[in-house]
Amino acid sequence: MTFREKFKYYKQKNPKPGFEEVLDFSQLESNFKGISSRTSVCEPTDEDLSSLGLQEVNQWRIFELIDKPGLIFIRNPFTAAGQRLWVERSLTEYTKRPSKLNLDAHGDLEPNEDWWTVCCRDSDRSAVLQRKLRWATLGYHHNWDTKKYSESNRSKFPDDLARLSRVVIRTVLGLDEFVAEAAILNYYHMDSTLSGHVDSSETNLEAPLISFSFGQSAIFLIGGTSLEDTPTPMFIHSGDIVIMSGFSRLCYHGVPRIVPAPRTPWDENRTSSACSESSVNSQDKLANICDSWSTISDYIKTSRINLNVRQVSNCSETLLKEA
Ligand SMILES: O=C(O)CCC(=O)C(=O)O
Ligand SMILES: [Fe+2]
């Protein structure tokens, strides 16, 4: 089946598709047909693990698809508090200026308003605004029309997300040079899809792309370098990380369906004194999370967030040549 045929199959509402063929890494214990297990190649510091909300590396389960070399899947390596931290940042921080949002073009927000603050404070506008947010871009802002990145359309990339990306790539691939320069944050609702595409706008196509997902689950299709190649369907659950490196970096992929999460790890280990959780070190930060957690938790019950991080240039010090 071609990419389009598989996409249509998994997208269809009536009748509902069968999920028997969908790879579920949360159910795989060891080697499974077509999949190899990998081990980490480096050890992050305890400080990195705790501030990034990651579990000890001996708990990580890392897989690679044998027929898509370089497609690496890390089964949720986050702690429950870590999941809350990244969900919270994705909603409250990364949606603030200088990020660019799809909403900017719609005139739904006044220039002095930010999306999350209005969502929390204005119940009349909240439902519409929550539904309308589909993407945010950080760092080099992806230009959806020209598909080109440019120095004149660039803002500072958040340090915390850059560090998370670098630490995971170093731990799994042993690559020290990765510099996060651009991200697309995708905000999906239960009926959202993302059609098949290849991410090839980056000047540096040798650098891996890393994506983090939280909240509801997705069926993700990873195909080949041609739309004629039959794609492999897999579930991406909350906390899972996908790295597209090597051959797989230029493979077609897309999200035909969002499915209810079988588990809600972001809600685990919360006690009434959740603010004393120790895996993330800033108490102030956690106090803030606790304040707005019920709004965040309602949002994530019917949404999926994907943070899609890329290196753009060949070397972070050189500026992109303007075409
Ligand atoms: O949501 C996903 O898992 C994939 C998103 C993606 O492919 C992209 O943003 O380019
Ligand atoms: Fe993509």
Side-chain angles (χ1 to χ4, degrees):
M1 261 205 234
T2 65
F3 194 96
R4 286 199 179 89
E5 285 163 345
K6 277 266 180 210
F7 193 93
K8 199 168 156 212
Y9 173 75
Y10 283 110
K11 185 181 168 181
Q12 95 192 348
K13 296 223 160 62
N14 242 323
K16 257 178 109 172
F19 293 160
E20 305 76 25
E21 277 184 21
V22 184
L23 281 176
D24 192 346
F25 291 95
S26 69
Q27 307 290 333
L28 292 179
E29 270 319 317
S30 55
N31 281 11
F32 186 77
K33 200 165 98 306
I35 293 162
S36 61
S37 284
R38 289 177 61 123
T39 48
S40 57
V41 291
C42 295
E43 189 84 22
T45 63
D46 288 346
E47 156 58 21
D48 274 341
L49 290 173
S50 81
S51 64
L52 296 170
L54 291 164
Q55 301 177 38
E56 299 280 332
V57 175
N58 60 17
Q59 300 296 316
W60 297 20
R61 292 290 168 267
I62 310 169
F63 304 96
E64 183 169 8
L65 289 196
I66 291 167
D67 69 345
K68 311 272 187 257
L71 194 287
I72 292 173
F73 190 101
I74 309 162
R75 184 205 290 179
N76 174 31
F78 292 94
T79 61
Q83 293 220 10
R84 289 194 277 284
L85 179 76
W86 292 104
V87 169
E88 189 255 356
R89 283 182 180 154
S90 303
L91 293 174
T92 69
E93 281 180 33
Y94 302 152
T95 52
K96 286 203 175 94
R97 267 166 283 274
S99 297
K100 296 198 173 182
L101 313 183
N102 67 307
L103 289 174
D104 294 344
H106 299 186
D108 293 296
L109 291 170
E110 299 295 331
N112 62 339
E113 288 181 324
D114 75 72
W115 175 79
W116 185 250
T117 309
V118 179
C119 287
C120 287
R121 299 211 180 128
D122 188 334
S123 51
D124 292 341
R125 292 165 69 202
S126 171
V128 174
L129 281 177
Q130 287 196 20
R131 171 114 209 120
K132 278 196 177 172
L133 180 69
R134 283 292 280 115
W135 54 258
T137 55
L138 320 181
Y140 279 110
H141 299 285
H142 191 260
N143 182 321
W144 304 87
D145 301 321
T146 63
K147 308 253 188 295
K148 293 220 180 346
Y149 295 103
S150 128
E151 292 303 328
S152 58
N153 191 14
R154 180 184 192 182
S155 47
K156 186 179 177 313
F157 194 93
D159 288 334
D160 43 17
L161 183 56
R163 199 156 55 88
L164 174 68
S165 307
R166 196 174 52 246
V167 165
V168 175
I169 285 177
R170 193 194 297 131
T171 305
V172 174
L173 297 178
L175 193 79
D176 277 325
E177 304 88 60
F178 182 82
V179 186
E181 293 175 316
I184 298 176
L185 271 51
N186 298 289
Y187 300 86
Y188 295 86
H189 307 294
M190 298 314 286
D191 56 355
S192 308
T193 61
L194 179 71
S195 48
H197 64 277
V198 171
D199 295 296
S200 56
S201 301
E202 295 71 31
T203 309
N204 185 342
L205 294 169
E206 247 93 88
L209 176 158
I210 181 163
S211 99
F212 306 93
S213 299
F214 298 100
Q216 301 305 305
S217 301
I219 293 182
F220 179 77
L221 292 184
I222 176 75
T225 50
S226 154
L227 280 171
E228 298 305 310
D229 298 334
T230 302
T232 304
M234 60 177 79
F235 287 110
I236 299 181
H237 298 301
S238 192
D240 291 342
I241 303 177
V242 176
I243 299 178
M244 296 174 77
S245 64
F247 168 82
S248 74
R249 177 66 181 77
L250 290 174
C251 286
Y252 278 93
H253 58 282
V255 176
R257 195 177 194 102
I258 302 297
V259 290
R263 288 167 300 282
T264 56
W266 60 87
D267 268 335
E268 283 165 17
N269 307 336
R270 293 193 79 236
T271 58
S272 48
S273 59
C275 289
S276 65
E277 285 173 87
S278 59
S279 41
V280 183
N281 55 9
S282 157
Q283 288 301 316
D284 287 345
K285 178 111 248 141
L286 280 170
N288 285 337
I289 293 178
C290 291
D291 283 343
S292 58
W293 182 252
S294 68
T295 319
I296 296 173
S297 165
D298 281 347
Y299 178 91
I300 207 69
K301 267 182 203 137
T302 55
S303 308
R304 167 176 187 260
I305 302 173
N306 170 263
L307 300 94
N308 211 278
V309 178
R310 302 102 192 266
Q311 174 164 343
V312 173
S313 65
N314 285 308
C315 163
S316 67
E317 278 88 52
T318 50
L319 299 180
L320 291 182
K321 288 199 202 79
E322 301 299 320

